[in-house]
Amino acid sequence: MNITERIVASIRDVPDFPKPGITFKDITPLLKDVKLSADITNELVEYWSTHDIDVVVGIESRGFIWGNSLAQQMKIPFIPIRKKGKLPAETHSFKYDLEYGSAEVEIHKDAILNGQKVLIHDDLLATGGTAIAAAELVRVSGGIVAGFSFLVELSFLNGIKDLKTYSDHIHSLVSY
Ligand code: AMP
């Protein structure tokens, strides 16, 4: 099996979580498979090493897992984007709409240096709202969005469409 097939075989679909009608793509079984988890990192490194990237930004919380491994392997810094109220120093914040209500994410003001090329990583792309919020935080921090990296893309939601405003480099290991 190739890496895509192995990820698909390992992801656990949890119906009606966190609410009725949503099929949650649970990536925790991938973390139990040490070889697969390492191979995912290697695959991301192989892909993104051909791009000009200074830092990796990971989105809380599942974006921290392979986002940090990727940054370590590429020998570049990792920067967390967290939900409001979690980062201790001065932050930029960005509020965005969800299907019901809204969410707010933050980044430390001194995390990204002016002009740095930033790869945004998360486990899954759905509508794209979260990735766009991250891209806005990168921009307000003075960074340049150099690409988006996901393990999984729910292509039927077409989240990719709005991401193209920020970067054409959008990569997922698995697409549903
Ligand atoms: P969105 O902002 O709609 O692109 O949603 C992406 C964020 O929500 C990511 O951080 C995902 O981890 C999470 N997410 C959304 N839908 C799912 C799903 N069906 N399964 C797992 N995670 C999801």
Side-chain angles (χ1 to χ4, degrees), residues 32-73:
K32 291 204 305 184
D33 184 337
V34 178
K35 174 85 171 76
L36 177 56
S37 183
D39 287 347
I40 288 170
T41 303
N42 292 337
E43 190 76 18
L44 294 175
V45 171
E46 195 178 314
Y47 183 84
W48 289 107
S49 291
T50 61
H51 292 72
D52 191 10
I53 294 159
D54 298 316
V55 297
V56 177
V57 156
I59 303 173
E60 180 176 359
S61 56
R62 291 180 296 275
F64 294 175
I65 299 167
W66 286 282
N68 186 48
S69 304
L70 170 62
Q72 287 227 322
Q73 295 289 323

Side-chain angles (χ1 to χ4, degrees), residues 12 14 17-18 22-27 59-63 83 96-98 122-132 150 152 154 156-157 159:
R12 172 168 52 190
V14 182
F17 183 88
I22 304 282
T23 301
F24 194 85
K25 300 288 182 192
D26 177 20
I27 53 98
I59 303 173
E60 180 176 359
S61 56
R62 291 180 296 275
K83 287 163 190 148
Y96 60 104
D97 291 329
L98 299 172
D122 202 358
D123 68 324
L124 185 140
L125 171 66
T127 64
T130 309
I132 285 173
F150 305 96
V152 176
L154 303 181
F156 56 88
L157 293 174

